[in-house]
Amino acid sequence: MTFRDFWQPLSQLYEAEEARAIARLVMERRFGLSMTDIACGAVEGIEEKELTAIVNRLLTGEPVQYVLGEAEFCGRMFRVEPGVLIPRPETEGLVDLLFDDLLFDNLLDDLLFDHLWSILDIGTGSGCIACTVALEAESRKLDSPNVTAWDISDRAIAVARSNALALGAKVIVEKQDALTPPDDVHRWDIIVSNPPYVCEHEKMAMHQNVLDHEPAEALFVPDDDPLLFYRAIGRYAVRALKPGGALLLEINPLYANELQELLSATGFAGVEIHEDIFGKKRFARGRL
């Protein structure tokens, strides 16, 4: 099987450029082949049965990240599997916002010099945010934070724990429903979350491979209650954050204004909306 034989069937589902990009990713991550190797015919040395099996999975619409069993986030590879949400590149902006806008700008002195700071990631999925925060703090030579990650999915919890172990990230992963949080008071310095926020009516604009393969419980909320998780998280955060603490959220751009009003009414001051790498209103930040 040549490289063309491998990627061309994928053009049934994807534009030719995307099909080639998926094929190149498979060659690089699964077989360690560079474009130079591919140009020199190295693909023809791979067992055709293995390549055919991969193509067949991709032709069902299964995301390439599930086929490979991994996805990149903030320059690190995270294990993913069906039933666990695949990390998105736009979500990396949530981590950037946490460090650049919070730690280095407003909370650095309070958090680093007065006490050991604590962070909660609600709805952690693969653990990509929690692990990245823990590892980035270490790489930036900050005091190691106490990072805790919550999820309601047993599969996500197992994957997040395995990622923390594999990456050497000091993260405590716990099973917890975001809609029924505990009665914590002044426990956290920062709460960060990328909760379900896609409304049912938005499904028609989504890729079929997402709808068919990624966990619906990690993506969707009812049309009549698009702020379901934000309301619960906001109410919890206003009690559980320490004075001066911060709440950081990934949001649905369609409801940015409503969310800003909700957080303000809940008790957060100076609620701000920030754009992602694609120029969409994607993040909200509020402080107590």
Side-chain angles (χ1 to χ4, degrees):
M1 184 182 292
T2 65
F3 181 66
R4 183 179 181 85
D5 294 333
F6 182 74
W7 73 259
Q8 197 164 40
L10 302 180
S11 61
Q12 301 173 41
L13 298 180
Y14 305 98
E15 296 291 336
E17 184 176 348
E18 186 175 3
R20 286 193 291 267
I22 291 172
R24 287 196 299 270
L25 183 62
V26 171
M27 293 301 157
E28 177 186 351
R29 301 304 308 178
R30 177 63 62 85
F31 302 106
L33 299 182
S34 66
M35 280 306 299
T36 300
D37 297 326
I38 293 171
C40 292
V43 177
E44 297 176 33
I46 301 172
E47 185 179 355
E48 185 169 348
K49 182 179 179 181
E50 184 174 4
L51 291 177
T52 300
I54 293 173
V55 169
N56 288 340
R57 289 182 66 181
L58 293 171
L59 285 176
T60 68
E62 184 175 1
V64 65
Q65 292 89 345
Y66 287 157
V67 174
L68 294 174
E70 63 182 16
E72 185 174 354
F73 185 80
C74 288
R76 297 179 178 88
M77 299 307 298
F78 286 81
R79 173 190 161 199
V80 293
E81 62 181 47
V84 178
L85 192 68
I86 297 169
R88 265 57 174 186
E90 55 266 37
T91 302
E92 296 181 3
L94 200 54
V95 176
D96 294 335
L97 186 62
L98 189 155
F99 279 100
D100 296 339
D101 280 354
L102 289 177
L103 296 183
F104 290 121
D105 184 18
N106 294 294
L107 296 178
L108 185 62
D109 290 342
D110 290 339
L111 296 181
L112 294 186
F113 297 106
D114 289 348
H115 57 270
L116 182 63
W117 46 299
S118 57
I119 294 177
L120 172 64
D121 174 23
I122 298 178
T124 196
S126 65
C128 60
I129 293 175
C131 291
T132 299
V133 169
L135 294 169
E136 282 294 307
E138 182 177 347
S139 69
R140 299 180 191 210
K141 303 187 184 303
L142 305 176
D143 290 343
S144 297
N146 290 321
V147 181
T148 300
W150 288 353
D151 208 288
I152 195 173
S153 163
D154 290 332
R155 180 172 293 183
I157 289 169
V159 169
R161 286 175 176 165
S162 71
N163 279 323
L165 181 63
L167 293 168
K170 297 177 182 178
V171 175
I172 299 171
V173 184
E174 300 175 343
K175 185 170 185 176
Q176 177 62 56
D177 186 350
L179 297 178
T180 56
D183 295 325
D184 294 325
V185 177
H186 296 172
R187 182 179 177 185
W188 313 102
D189 293 296
I190 299 173
I191 294 176
V192 60
S193 182
N194 176 20
Y197 61 68
V198 182
C199 288
E200 292 287 335
H201 74 265
E202 297 180 80
K203 284 184 175 181
M204 63 184 65
M206 299 177 68
H207 290 295
Q208 197 62 40
N209 62 342
V210 174
L211 298 175
D212 290 345
H213 295 278
E214 295 202 58
E217 63 272 17
L219 289 167
F220 297 108
V221 289
D223 285 341
D224 60 357
D225 197 2
L227 302 182
L228 171 65
F229 283 90
Y230 299 106
R231 187 180 305 106
I233 292 171
R235 288 173 178 170
Y236 171 73
V238 81
R239 301 189 316 267
L241 283 170
K242 299 173 185 177
L247 175 64
L248 282 167
L249 300 166
E250 182 167 329
I251 68 174
N252 187 330
L254 295 176
Y255 301 99
N257 294 336
E258 290 90 334
L259 177 60
Q260 192 171 25
E261 294 173 2
L262 172 66
L263 293 180
S264 297
T266 303
F268 288 91
V271 179
E272 300 174 357
I273 303 297
H274 294 261
E275 294 182 349
D276 64 14
I277 55 177
F278 303 111
K280 294 185 177 181
K281 294 179 178 179
R282 185 67 63 184
F283 311 113
R285 180 185 70 186
R287 295 193 184 92
L288 292 181

